[in-house]
């Protein structure tokens, strides 16, 4: 499914799923850091100017992980909201404290007709008896361009936080205020190969000798 979407994104001159996911959580840097979150944050901080320079028109307003870890100087933990959560969550603080802001009125209340960042506004984490639940809110989401990469990045962010909190990640909830099919039309004929690949990927399998659909992994049936 992801490969089919990436081919279509490339055809439409859009960025790849993994590149979108990286803006939310830098999985490659986490692997280089080998489980050391202090090193992860340092690696990202050092590399961030290069990320901006690679595409200043898009990245000049910031990136999601940068907002999470370098929000502003007035924010505790030198603006690193993730570190503040991970350092304090076991100290008997309220669960409602485990929140990360992306939208910053000081930078984002602008009269521009359209800005490309930030669409993701807010992320929260809720420890439960079963494990960690991550929640994300989008005011607007560009479904074709970004949705898969958004969800992948959020899942990786949730997995990172769960790892550092020594909890399993049990659920990711994403709420979208306005969903837009931007950059492609529903009746675009070039979508047909991708749609066929997606349908094949989620089609129920048939149990030999029975002929009844088998539910997908995780208990989801179609």
């Amino acid at each position: 499914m992801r490969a089919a979407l990436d081919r279509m994104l490339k055809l439409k001159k859009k960025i790849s799923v993994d590149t979108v996911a990286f803006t939310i959580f830098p999985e490659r840097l986490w692997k280089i850091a080998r489980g050391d979150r202090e090193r992860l944050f340092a690696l990202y901080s050092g590399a961030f100017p290069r990320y901006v320079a690679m595409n200043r028109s898009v990245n000049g307003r910031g990136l999601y992980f940068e907002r999470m870890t370098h929000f502003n100087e007035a924010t505790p933990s030198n603006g690193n909201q993730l570190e503040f959560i991970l350092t304090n969550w076991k100290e008997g603080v309220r669960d409602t404290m485990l929140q990360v802001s992306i939208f910053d009125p000081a930078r984002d209340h602008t009269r521009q007709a359209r800005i490309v960042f930030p669409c993701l506004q807010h992320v929260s984490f809720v420890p439960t008896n079963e494990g960690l639940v991550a929640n994300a809110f989008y005011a607007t989401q560009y479904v074709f361009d970004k949705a898969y990469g958004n969800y992948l990045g959020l899942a990786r962010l949730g997995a990172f936080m769960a790892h550092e909190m020594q909890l399993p990640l049990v659920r990711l909830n994403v709420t979208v205020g306005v969903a837009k099919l931007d950059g492609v039309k529903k009746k675009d004929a070039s979508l047909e190969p991708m749609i066929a690949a997606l349908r094949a990927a989620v089609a129920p399998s048939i149990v030999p000798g029975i002929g009844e659909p088998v539910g997908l992994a995780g208990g989801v049936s179609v």
Side-chain angles (χ1 to χ4, degrees), residues 48-92:
F48 178 71
R50 296 200 300 274
Y51 300 150
V52 173
M54 288 168 62
N55 193 340
R56 191 168 296 277
S57 64
V58 174
N59 300 338
R61 295 182 56 79
L63 293 169
Y64 293 115
F65 196 71
E66 181 261 343
R67 290 274 178 109
M68 295 179 201
T69 56
H70 296 81
F71 192 76
N72 60 41
E73 294 180 357
T75 307
S77 298
N78 295 317
N80 191 332
Q81 301 177 78
L82 301 180
E83 182 60 35
F84 181 75
I85 289 172
L86 293 172
T87 301
N88 293 282
W89 81 278
K90 280 190 174 181
E91 304 303 319

Side-chain angles (χ1 to χ4, degrees), residues 103-170:
F103 185 88
D104 181 2
R107 289 176 279 183
D108 301 325
H109 271 161
T110 170
R111 294 179 64 84
Q112 289 177 251
R114 175 174 174 174
I115 57 175
V116 297
F117 176 90
C119 294
L120 173 64
Q121 309 290 296
H122 188 83
V123 181
S124 69
F125 303 96
V126 183
T128 71
N129 291 334
E130 292 75 30
L132 186 68
V133 176
N135 304 289
F137 172 70
Y138 284 82
T140 301
Q141 186 173 75
Y142 298 100
V143 177
F144 174 73
D145 290 15
K146 302 288 182 66
Y148 193 120
N150 290 161
Y151 303 151
L152 179 61
L154 288 167
R156 289 173 173 174
L157 173 66
F160 163 73
M161 294 296 285
H163 175 272
E164 294 301 288
M165 297 167 80
Q166 299 182 335
L167 296 169
L169 176 65
V170 294

